[in-house]
Amino acid sequence: MTAQLINGKELSAVLKQEMKGEVQELKQQGLTPHLTVVLVGENPASKSYVKGKEKAAAETGISSSLIELPESTSEAELLQIIKDLNTDESVHGILVQLPLPKQISEQQVIETIHPDKDVDGFHPSNIGKMMTGEDTFLPCTPYGIITMLKSKNIEIEGKHAVIIGRSNIVGKPVGQLLLNENATVTYCHSKTKNLKELAATADILVAAIGKAHAITADYIKNGAVVIDVGINRQADGTLTGDVDFESAKEKASYITPVPRGVGPMTITMLLKNTIKAAKGLSTIE
Ligand code: NAD
């Protein structure tokens, strides 16, 4: 069997086209969704992510601005900037690019962003709403993964989903969203015993580890849906996933490539959240 690709780049293009129309309509009503990105320090990967976000926003007509702060910025300074953005009516979404310099607590920052402007979906109040299944901002990568599965009409209900990785931004929330869709969910992580055996029972296998090609064909059940979240830079500078794509695609029914898989969807869902934030502005005091 050769798996069908779930191409995140193509799906993103379709979704961005839809959003462009929606943004045009909002603009006609006098509302231009606006995303403010805060970048602290000189991390080259962060700079490139931020560029990607600005470019994607521009493609859909969403306006964006970038606040660049020096590496030496104190936590108090950053928190004050966030508080100002919280009360700035022209700003609908706030994104503070992670990671932050070590003198700044990421959790403090996440908790200071107003939940109604939290387009990353990291605020504890939004995470709580996600858990109880209330309407809220969903974290972008897990939201992108669910959107990819739905785009192919892949059945989730009653399926066994195995998530490898338990980070707060990918592993934990993607498991929760699959549970919300009535999957039976198993979480695996660095301390899991018999990882291979567990993975090989998955109908839907999500790899979010950060280790190139860690998931080979013997971790995959025949016909499984394989979602590769990993982004690993190889010695030659190219990017690759956590899944050994060449062998995995012979066993899977569907598979996401890296690049052009989950990565582009993450940015696209950020734009969706920004539009949602713009529409919901009236709820902010
Ligand atoms: P993380 O480092 O916070 O978490 C990694 C997880 O993998 C941990 O929970 C750990 O327990 C688990 N793990 C580590 N080694 C393992 C092993 N040998 N066996 C089983 N589990 C193991 O990383 P993260 O932020 O969740 O990101 C994971 C990967 O996804 C990275 O490659 C990252 O670059 C990528 N990522 C991609 C996107 C995207 O948009 N596609 C978004 C976020 C992260």
Side-chain angles (χ1 to χ4, degrees), residues 132-144:
T132 52
E134 282 171 77
D135 181 37
T136 189
F137 298 113
L138 299 176
C140 301
T141 302
Y143 187 13

Side-chain angles (χ1 to χ4, degrees), residues 141 164-167 170 189-190 195 208-211 229-231 263 266:
T141 302
I164 314 182
R166 56 169 164 185
S167 70
V170 187
H189 46 78
S190 56
L195 178 68
I209 311 166
K211 283 199 171 76
V229 187
I231 301 178
T266 296

Side-chain angles (χ1 to χ4, degrees), residues 128-249:
K129 285 184 176 173
M130 175 185 67
M131 291 201 74
T132 52
E134 282 171 77
D135 181 37
T136 189
F137 298 113
L138 299 176
C140 301
T141 302
Y143 187 13
I145 291 169
I146 294 290
T147 304
M148 290 174 104
L149 294 172
K150 289 191 172 171
S151 78
K152 294 287 184 191
N153 293 318
I154 291 167
E155 211 179 334
I156 302 174
E157 183 166 308
K159 299 294 178 189
H160 183 206
V162 174
I163 319 300
I164 314 182
R166 56 169 164 185
S167 70
N168 288 336
I169 62 167
V170 187
K172 281 183 203 165
V174 78
Q176 181 63 50
L177 292 184
L178 287 164
L179 178 64
N180 291 359
E181 298 287 336
N182 296 321
T184 303
V185 179
T186 301
Y187 287 95
C188 298
H189 46 78
S190 56
K191 307 277 188 258
T192 298
K193 299 195 170 90
N194 59 346
L195 178 68
K196 195 183 286 182
E197 289 72 19
L198 283 167
T201 65
D203 301 308
I204 300 171
L205 182 65
V206 181
I209 311 166
K211 283 199 171 76
H213 304 166
I215 304 305
T216 48
D218 43 348
Y219 287 71
I220 297 168
K221 182 167 97 173
N222 270 326
V225 176
V226 177
I227 306 291
D228 189 355
V229 187
I231 301 178
N232 308 291
R233 197 166 286 282
Q234 302 185 100
D236 65 1
T238 58
L239 297 179
T240 193
D242 289 348
V243 174
D244 178 38
F245 184 83
E246 287 309 315
S247 65
K249 78 176 194 321

